[in-house]
Amino acid sequence: MTDTPSHMADHWWWRPGWTTGTRWYTWHLTFDGANDLHRLAADYRHALDDVPSLDLVPDRWLHLTMQGLGPTTEVSEDDARAIADAAGRHLAKIPAFDLALGPAIVTPEALLLTVTPAEPVHAVRTAIRAAIADVWPTVPENAAGFRPHVSVAYSNAAGPARPAADALASVTTHPATARITAAELIVLGRDRRMYEWETAARVPLG
């Protein structure tokens, strides 16, 4: 558990390489059909609905960020396909697993569901990075510092964190369980203050 920050900041500032219209190849775990997680997210959305300066994540865009490749202007479709094929070989060695998600915590730019156990998620990310290394001489992003989480809301302005923290404290719910059976290579955009995507490849585990 992390300490609750006193203030929140706008999550939607433009990070290096991003602007309106940018699309990015990246790997996510996604949660289509994860009814128990959707139940939990709905509980938090209900509590957070009146908290100002929050963008609440609908069920279809709940995700666990894994590993980026780069903008579609720089990553060819052939390379993306080759990496997905390589990932199929590596991820076949990792069995499907269950995750426990929740409770939600406040961070400076988002409200996050904690994820346990972290070890199988790290194993999936390591396999994806190995697949990238099969195709490219250098793997983007750092191997260290990765912390699995699922965001249920993003801050869209600077302001005090207390309203969000108080809203979370009012929620009576219990953690969710989700079965992870695949990783997805997606084409990601964030033009509308939400991470939205199209799936380029769905790669099963096991």
Side-chain angles (χ1 to χ4, degrees):
M1 184 70 69
T2 59
D3 293 333
T4 300
S6 60
H7 286 79
M8 300 188 74
D10 182 6
H11 176 77
W12 301 114
W13 61 277
W14 289 114
R15 288 148 179 80
W18 283 88
T19 189
T20 302
T22 298
R23 296 295 181 266
W24 205 273
Y25 279 116
T26 192
W27 289 86
H28 278 182
L29 304 182
T30 62
F31 297 98
D32 184 36
N35 294 334
D36 198 31
L37 172 58
H38 297 170
R39 180 268 312 164
L40 179 62
D43 289 343
Y44 283 118
R45 284 195 298 266
H46 179 74
L48 295 166
D49 193 46
D50 293 328
V51 177
S53 303
L54 289 180
D55 295 319
L56 308 181
V57 182
D59 290 341
R60 68 177 299 189
W61 302 131
L62 293 168
H63 63 276
L64 198 164
T65 301
M66 296 293 290
Q67 169 69 43
L69 294 185
T72 56
T73 54
E74 298 177 11
V75 179
S76 70
E77 290 186 15
D78 286 346
D79 278 4
R81 189 178 303 109
I83 289 169
D85 289 345
R89 297 189 292 272
H90 289 279
L91 291 174
K93 303 171 187 176
I94 299 175
F97 56 90
D98 291 322
L99 289 179
L101 301 115
I105 61 173
V106 181
T107 69
E109 293 187 8
L111 309 183
L112 312 179
L113 297 176
T114 57
V115 174
T116 55
E119 290 79 10
V121 182
H122 281 276
V124 170
R125 186 170 188 258
T126 297
I128 290 169
R129 290 179 62 84
I132 297 169
D134 288 347
V135 179
W136 289 347
T138 303
V139 179
E141 303 183 357
N142 292 326
F146 172 71
R147 291 187 176 183
H149 65 270
V150 174
S151 297
V152 293
Y154 296 102
S155 172
N156 60 41
R162 180 52 54 193
D166 288 345
L168 291 185
S170 73
V171 177
T172 301
T173 190
H174 57 277
T177 300
R179 184 75 171 168
I180 305 300
T181 61
E184 291 191 12
L185 176 63
I186 63 173
V187 179
L188 181 72
R190 43 152 289 182
D191 295 344
R192 301 187 292 181
R193 288 199 330 208
M194 191 61 56
Y195 292 106
E196 302 170 304
W197 62 83
E198 296 179 356
T199 299
R202 186 177 187 275
V203 182
L205 305 183

